[in-house]
Amino acid sequence: MTLANKITVLRIIAIPLFVIALLEGHLGWARWIFILSIFSDALDGTIARIRGERTPLGSFLDPLADKLLLVAAFITFAYLAWIPVWVFIAVLSRDMLIIMGWSIVYILTGNSKIEPRLLGKITTALQMTVALFKLVNVSSPLYHLTLHIMIAATILSACDYVWVGNQRLGAVA
């Protein structure tokens, strides 16, 4: 297993610690775990590129780690009533749509290649920013502006992934 993949696995292992810290009221620990997770997300990709160690496992695990962290964060925020439940549902729905779409494309075409989209990367960055803003209590106007931009990007990204999935399936039919 490459160094980058080991960092990604550690990021996945840290997710339950982040949730427990939030639920137990250890906000300082939760903040640090989340910030380190965001940092390690950038670090593992940089290491993979610099060392020439891009792998199929890494291209699968890295976005999975992002999705798991963000879904865990938003479901915990909703449980703690820090965000409206519909925000969590929007984040979860997009991720479930992506996973289901990937599964359908894989079943019908045998192609398991995961190709991140620019809008998808922007959406993930916005979701991480909103979660971080919530954790560090960023002022309400800036938080709400970022939240609304994130929701719009989440919806647009879901539509983009559906469109791309249809194109990939149309090329097979």
Side-chain angles (χ1 to χ4, degrees):
M1 185 179 290
T2 67
L3 176 60
N5 289 346
K6 288 176 183 175
I7 292 169
T8 303
V9 168
L10 286 174
R11 192 162 88 237
I12 293 169
I13 292 170
I15 293 168
L17 301 175
F18 166 71
V19 171
I20 291 167
L22 275 177
L23 293 175
E24 294 295 323
H26 301 291
L27 190 55
W29 281 108
R31 285 177 183 147
W32 277 111
I33 293 167
F34 192 83
I35 290 167
L36 287 173
S37 293
I38 291 172
F39 175 74
S40 72
D41 183 28
L43 181 65
D44 61 13
T46 302
I47 287 173
R49 281 187 293 280
I50 289 172
R51 295 176 62 157
E53 296 179 344
R54 288 184 172 176
T55 64
L57 178 62
S59 69
F60 177 78
L61 284 180
D62 187 62
L64 177 65
D66 292 343
K67 290 180 186 342
L68 292 173
L69 174 64
L70 290 168
V71 167
F74 282 97
I75 194 171
T76 306
F77 293 169
Y79 175 79
L80 294 171
W82 290 8
I83 61 168
V85 172
W86 68 265
V87 173
F88 160 67
I89 291 170
V91 171
L92 178 68
S93 296
R94 172 188 171 261
D95 289 342
M96 294 303 297
L97 192 68
I98 291 169
I99 292 167
M100 286 186 336
W102 176 84
S103 300
I104 290 167
V105 168
Y106 176 70
I107 289 167
L108 295 177
T109 68
N111 182 354
S112 64
K113 186 174 182 186
I114 298 170
E115 298 174 14
R117 307 276 296 160
L118 177 60
L119 187 54
K121 288 182 177 202
I122 291 169
T123 299
T124 299
L126 284 166
Q127 289 175 351
M128 286 181 176
T129 302
V130 166
L132 183 61
F133 280 7
K134 185 51 80 174
L135 287 167
V136 298
N137 296 316
V138 167
S139 69
S140 185
L142 179 59
Y143 167 76
H144 281 97
L145 173 64
T146 309
L147 174 67
H148 287 96
I149 294 169
M150 180 209 79
I151 292 298
T154 298
I155 292 166
L156 291 172
S157 174
C159 293
D160 182 54
Y161 278 111
V162 167
W163 183 80
V164 168
N166 277 334
Q167 296 300 313
R168 289 178 78 184
L169 290 175
V172 174

